[in-house]
Amino acid sequence: MSTTIDIDRGPETATAASGEARRGGRWIDHWEPESPAFWETTGRKIARKNLFLSVFAEHIGFSVWVLWTIVVINLGNVGIKLSLPQQFWLTAVPNLVGSMLRLPYTFAVPRFGGRRWTAISAALLLIPTVLLAVVVPSGWLLHQSAGAQFWLLLACAATAGFGGGNFSSSMANISFFYPERRKGTALGINAAGGNLGVAVAQLVVPLVIIVGVPAAAVKLPTHPVHLAYAGLMWVPLIVAAALGAWLYMDSLTQARTDTSSYVAAIRNGQTWIMSILYIGTFGSFIGYSFAMPLVIRNTFPEFLGRHPFVATYLAGLGFLGALIGSVARPVGGWLSDRAGGAKVTLASFLGMGVLTLVAISGVRNHAFGLFFGSYMAIFLLTGIGNGSTYRMIPSIFAALGQAEAEEKGVDPGETLVEFKRRAAAVIGIAGAIGAFGGFLIQVVLREASLTVAALMKAAQTPVQKAAIAEAHADWSIPALWVFLTAYVVFASMTWFFYMRKSFAVDRVPSLAHASI
């Protein structure tokens, strides 16, 4: 026996013989958010409840996703020594797995329903947290060979990718609950709540793993840590997120996207343009969130040598960037609702390019403050760009749906629902490809670090290693030039496809008049 919610008639119990009973769960059949009367009397309350529960589950997912950014820089404290390229692999692989999972996670929403899949995806987070608590701190791991240690750690780190998949399913699901005029803000809040998980993990986990360690010991280059706590602390929250979704969330019948919607989205060129732009915004946010602690530690050794507590609590510095980027995301949606997403996206890319030049200057002049300040500003723009690009997607497909209805003379309501489904599919596709951009950032940084890693391996003494680290502190500059070039390309694409009116009129007539 299951409960089906029809807004017109209220909750009713379906019979076991009905199709509604067979599908199970809390389903809503009538959902009309574009109707002001429906929205004010019924829709707003239900949408907000589902948004809150979605944000909570997604927040925990992001926290688990970035756990290895803290674990990696503390492995030396438990006796595990890895090269810098190996450390980049331990942060890059969760990023890669998370991006790969985003597409099937989006398909899971229409297959299982938003409520059921939110509960399932939250429960899956128990796997990486329990593995981290059991495997990494174990004495057994220390007795393995260096190669075996690395591969075991890599396998454990890969499971953290479960946390990265949650984003696409959550965004696709919430996009159906809100009317077009409120989508930018709603999607911005949902995404920001998830993105904040990065900041919270990088702020709280470094403190939790030194609980009970004397303050004097924490300031030493090598000190005791409790890495098991980094996994165990999330278990109660994961259980709460899964139960909250299962007991209180709803699923929308119209959100049961069929395969044809994804096929139509894949065939539409707008899908791939927006996916590439999302590489530049979200890919930058998540890539820098994963990589920044390692980059700072290996770029400014002299600064960290003068500030031992900062060196110990390095992930806490990453927290600031993730916090700024997360809070800025709904601002990007809000600005896009008023000024247009294309304008906001273009401004974000141009600003990120200029600030990358400033960061290059900071590295060359060994000016930690200049480098760090420029990257905090870059995080701000990644957040704004995240909100603006995701706001563009429903706007684009709403305009395309309206144009198709006018051209074919069909019912606008049914056509717009179909194009909402395509927009939800694009959100999942763009989310997956954008997250892959974060992996690419870490691969570029890893390649830039190989020369220094080879020199460090040949060094015979700690003094020689310190001298090499200081002499090659500018190792990241080639990677920064790659990022700068990419921002120029992204800005050019934004202008060419969405702000050059002649192109829009010729290729996609409806977009010329849409608020994109």
Side-chain angles (χ1 to χ4, degrees), residues 12 67 136 208 242 294 382 396 404 419 428 445 474-475:
E12 64 181 24
L67 273 181
V136 178
V208 170
L294 277 175
T382 64
I396 290 169
E404 182 168 307
F419 274 80
L445 287 165
D474 61 351
W475 64 272

Side-chain angles (χ1 to χ4, degrees), residues 36-337:
F38 176 89
W39 179 254
E40 294 300 327
T41 58
T42 305
R44 185 199 303 270
K45 182 179 179 180
I46 293 175
R48 284 181 173 177
K49 177 192 67 174
N50 282 273
L51 176 61
F52 171 79
L53 292 168
S54 174
V55 166
F56 180 51
E58 188 187 347
H59 178 91
I60 303 302
F62 267 86
S63 296
V64 172
W65 196 17
V66 299
L67 273 181
W68 281 79
T69 66
I70 301 107
V71 173
V72 160
I73 60 176
N74 281 281
L75 289 176
N77 291 320
V78 295
I80 298 174
K81 306 296 183 182
L82 299 176
S83 68
L84 181 56
Q86 286 178 320
Q87 292 175 57
F88 270 119
W89 274 127
L90 291 182
T91 58
V93 167
N95 198 159
L96 176 63
V97 173
S99 64
M100 292 173 64
L101 287 176
R102 286 187 165 200
L103 197 55
Y105 268 49
T106 307
F107 278 99
V109 171
R111 174 65 180 84
F112 298 100
R115 161 189 164 268
R116 184 179 297 174
W117 183 250
T118 302
I120 293 172
S121 60
L124 286 173
L125 300 176
L126 291 170
I127 297 173
T129 50
V130 172
L131 275 177
L132 173 57
V134 173
V135 174
V136 178
S138 68
W140 169 80
L141 184 63
L142 290 175
H143 292 90
Q144 306 303 307
S145 67
Q149 285 181 354
F150 172 69
W151 288 107
L152 287 167
L153 291 171
L154 194 66
C156 290
T159 63
F162 283 126
N166 290 10
F167 176 82
S168 286
S169 56
S170 176
M171 293 290 279
N173 183 46
I174 291 302
S175 71
F176 283 97
F177 279 93
Y178 280 83
E180 287 298 324
R181 66 187 182 278
R182 298 178 184 272
K183 274 195 196 305
T185 302
L187 291 176
I189 292 172
N190 189 60
N195 293 171
L196 276 170
V198 178
V200 169
Q202 292 183 330
L203 174 66
V204 176
V205 174
L207 295 174
V208 170
I209 63 176
I210 58 173
V211 169
V213 179
V218 170
K219 295 180 180 180
L220 298 174
T222 302
H223 58 272
V225 291
H226 307 293
L227 286 182
Y229 296 175
L232 294 176
M233 63 177 287
W234 301 106
V235 171
L237 296 173
I238 292 169
V239 172
L243 288 177
W246 185 260
L247 295 175
Y248 300 109
M249 284 188 75
D250 306 293
S251 298
L252 298 180
T253 302
Q254 66 174 236
R256 292 180 67 87
T257 312
D258 54 34
T259 305
S260 64
S261 296
Y262 285 89
V263 173
I266 289 171
R267 290 175 177 174
N268 194 307
Q270 300 298 319
T271 301
W272 303 106
I273 296 169
M274 291 307 305
S275 295
I276 292 171
L277 295 184
Y278 201 55
I279 286 176
T281 56
F282 182 77
S284 295
F285 170 81
I286 199 64
Y288 294 144
S289 295
F290 272 95
M292 197 52 57
L294 277 175
V295 171
I296 292 174
R297 188 174 72 175
N298 291 279
T299 304
F300 298 97
E302 74 288 350
F303 172 83
L304 298 178
R306 296 193 302 269
H307 300 84
F309 184 76
V310 174
T312 297
Y313 193 59
L314 198 53
L317 294 179
F319 136 81
L320 290 173
L323 176 63
I324 291 169
S326 301
V327 172
R329 183 155 190 159
V331 175
W334 179 82
L335 288 172
S336 299
D337 284 342

